[in-house]
Amino acid sequence: MNDASDRSQPATAKRMSDPHMQHMYAEHLNMLWTQFALIALGAWLLASPAMLGYLDPGSFGPQVARVTAERNLAPPELRAHAMMTSDLCAGALLILFGSLALWW
């Protein structure tokens, strides 16, 4: 009789009847704020290139050109573009993984 009742219960119900799994689920619910914080950080990273004007030509002053030449660095426009790409990719990944972590 017990085997028949075990087969009729969905796998999720069997798993959640275990006290350890109930505790794990309660802890998951207590820590949901971290996933929302990750999603918010990802949204900020996606918006930051436009808000901070990474590609604004007026943001590179003569000091930047001097330091770039002294240190034999890549042009400021290229470095700004690389930083913008990095921020956009990191923001998208944070939103993706934060959203995936919300699912139990």
Side-chain angles (χ1 to χ4, degrees):
M1 175 94 173
N2 195 12
D3 288 338
S5 65
D6 282 347
R7 278 182 268 159
S8 66
Q9 277 186 328
T12 307
K14 280 193 259 183
R15 192 172 58 207
M16 289 308 292
S17 64
D18 180 24
H20 174 71
M21 290 307 294
Q22 290 174 353
H23 177 72
M24 292 291 292
Y25 185 69
E27 288 299 317
H28 170 73
L29 292 178
N30 285 335
M31 293 293 146
L32 281 179
W33 67 269
T34 58
Q35 282 80 25
F36 289 111
L38 278 177
I39 292 169
L41 178 62
W44 179 77
L45 280 172
L46 283 177
S48 65
M51 290 188 320
L52 300 176
Y54 284 178
L55 299 179
D56 182 22
S59 65
F60 309 122
Q63 294 89 357
V64 173
R66 181 181 55 78
V67 169
T68 298
E70 284 175 3
R71 298 181 184 174
N72 198 23
L73 300 173
E77 296 83 12
L78 179 64
R79 290 184 287 145
H81 185 70
M83 186 167 59
M84 180 188 72
T85 303
S86 171
D87 282 356
L88 293 176
C89 291
L93 287 173
L94 282 173
I95 290 173
L96 172 71
F97 291 131
S99 299
L100 288 174
L102 284 173
W103 294 347
W104 173 248

